[in-house]
Amino acid sequence: MRHSQLKAFHYVALHGGFSRAAEALFLTQPAISEQVRKLEQDHDVLLFHRERKRVQLTGAGERLFRLTKHYFEIEEQIGEYMSETRAAVDGSLRIIADSAHHVTDILSAFRQRYPNVRVSLRTGNSDEVIEELRAFNAEVGVAGSLTPGRDMDTLSLGDTPIVAFAAKGLLPKGTSSITLRELADLPLIFRETGSKTRQKLEEEAAKQGLYLTPAIEAEGREAVREVVASGAGVGFVSQAEFGHDERLVQIALKDTDLRMGESILHLSQRREVKVIRAFMDFARARSG
């Protein structure tokens, strides 16, 4: 197996096609195609489904792509190590968070400290955060109240109570707290399956012999907020993420003490990636 074959495969998978891979590697498309063909032939495996100008990874190709992501990242780390005297931190930092609220202050200060780092931020529920980190599709994750496994390094950001919230006027005037039993009779707005807030509520309700049925299920925290603000029902969020919205009122859960912790995490095997190490050290210093 040659390094050039793996690199050709990796770039085709990364860019979604042979011509784009050729452009990225400054090679001809036939040269890239031949490298991939030889890799498949030598190891009697089909890595891509080829349909006209489109290519799609096979199951074997997806597994190899996950390995080559790690392989070429290690290669990059070796290059960084060999030029460790260079003080500047640069490159890309992809963050996936269940709520951007928890890292916006850190990100702002981090960018001032490391202006050459390109940061992208997207949202997903806690399950998606873990999946994307393990697939090497993000460097850093932010997720709530989870036990991610031994393959992750974590930094706790603390915890706050889970609260209910509703549009002003939906509940009787003066309502500042509510029980889960009372909530069971109201229209509830839940996030999608995989949300830790939803999971904690459902588990606590089950302990009390209750079943909380969502009237509407919305994907993502912002979607839930907008549905609740329309007056469609009652939503749930950690107190730290409630923020300020003139349309909404916060309601305490008075018969339980559900709390949502939040952590920054990354794959343990990637702790020596320079940009990850810089971000975690920076976040640790600010949270300490």
Side-chain angles (χ1 to χ4, degrees), residues 217-242:
E217 184 177 292
E219 186 168 347
R221 187 169 284 104
E222 291 308 312
V224 169
R225 179 179 291 269
E226 292 306 311
V227 172
V228 171
S230 75
V234 178
F236 305 90
V237 71
S238 72
Q239 193 172 58
E241 295 165 354
F242 179 71

Side-chain angles (χ1 to χ4, degrees), residues 251-266:
I251 309 153
L253 302 178
K254 66 182 178 183
D255 60 345
T256 185
D257 184 28
L258 292 177
R259 304 185 71 83
M260 179 63 72
E262 206 75 19
S263 298
I264 300 176
L265 62 160
H266 63 85

Side-chain angles (χ1 to χ4, degrees), residues 2-33:
R2 296 183 176 180
H3 179 273
S4 58
Q5 294 173 351
L6 285 178
K7 194 166 189 177
F9 160 79
H10 179 76
Y11 272 74
V12 173
L14 185 66
H15 293 281
F18 287 86
S19 60
R20 291 180 180 177
E23 291 174 5
L25 291 172
F26 301 100
L27 296 171
T28 65
Q29 183 173 331
I32 294 292
S33 298

